[in-house]
Amino acid sequence: MNVSRRRSRGRVAHRARAHVAARRPRGPVSATEARRALQAFQRSVESGDVRGLLDVLAPDVVLLGDGGGIKQAALRPVVGADRVARLLASRKVEVAALSLHPAEVNGWPALIVRSGGALDTVPTVRVDDGLVSGLYAVRSPEKLSHMQQATALRR
């Protein structure tokens, strides 16, 4: 991949992160509300229930993927409940081989996703009004290895 293309992707990701960060919750989100949204999201992903995903995703949800150029991830921000739900439902990994465990990562509700026992993805979620309004899915092996070594994941 050439340098200008990498820079362009970096700018797109930077603008998307800034857009997500600039959105302010309509009100404070309680830990209970965040936990409920995360649980509903987890159930829908585990069961492959697209309708359930659409019910828990905010209409303007933004998904950012970070594969570090090594793992497959969304190259551009995915915006909208329908597009995010279709992307999550289309994962080629056998759902039975996945295990999802709720956690808190960097102060955000998250899921620890393991495939065949190995750490695969850590999506953190933003919750507004009881709906998932933002997802940042880290798949980069380099970032995940730092997380495993330096941070005790809370469940």
Side-chain angles (χ1 to χ4, degrees):
M1 178 185 315
N2 66 33
V3 173
S4 65
R5 192 169 187 192
R6 214 174 335 179
R7 284 184 187 144
S8 175
R9 284 184 184 168
R11 286 190 295 266
V12 169
H14 175 76
R15 285 194 305 267
R17 284 187 205 101
H19 172 75
V20 171
R23 293 179 59 210
R24 300 288 176 237
R26 293 177 184 92
V29 177
S30 71
T32 302
E33 184 178 23
R35 189 170 35 258
R36 282 188 192 133
L38 186 65
Q39 287 171 343
F41 178 74
Q42 179 180 349
R43 279 192 306 273
S44 298
V45 170
E46 286 175 330
S47 66
D49 178 12
V50 176
R51 179 74 251 162
L53 281 170
L54 290 171
D55 289 343
V56 75
L57 295 173
D60 58 347
V61 63
V62 176
L63 179 141
L64 301 173
D66 182 353
I70 297 168
K71 290 278 205 147
Q72 184 178 5
L75 297 177
R76 291 187 165 71
V78 180
V79 181
D82 186 55
R83 293 183 71 205
V84 170
R86 281 185 294 156
L87 176 71
L88 293 173
S90 71
R91 288 231 19 209
K92 304 255 186 284
V93 175
E94 187 66 37
V95 175
L98 295 179
S99 66
L100 285 74
H101 301 282
E104 184 178 301
V105 176
N106 294 331
W108 293 92
L111 290 174
I112 306 302
V113 181
R114 294 185 180 278
S115 178
L119 184 58
D120 181 74
T121 308
V122 177
T124 55
V125 301
R126 177 179 176 148
V127 177
D128 290 312
D129 293 333
L131 299 174
V132 174
S133 61
L135 288 154
Y136 178 54
V138 176
R139 299 198 71 217
S140 168
E142 182 180 331
K143 290 180 182 177
L144 293 178
S145 71
H146 289 296
M147 219 172 93
Q148 286 181 315
Q149 294 169 5
T151 306
L153 303 175
R154 294 187 341 190
R155 295 177 192 223

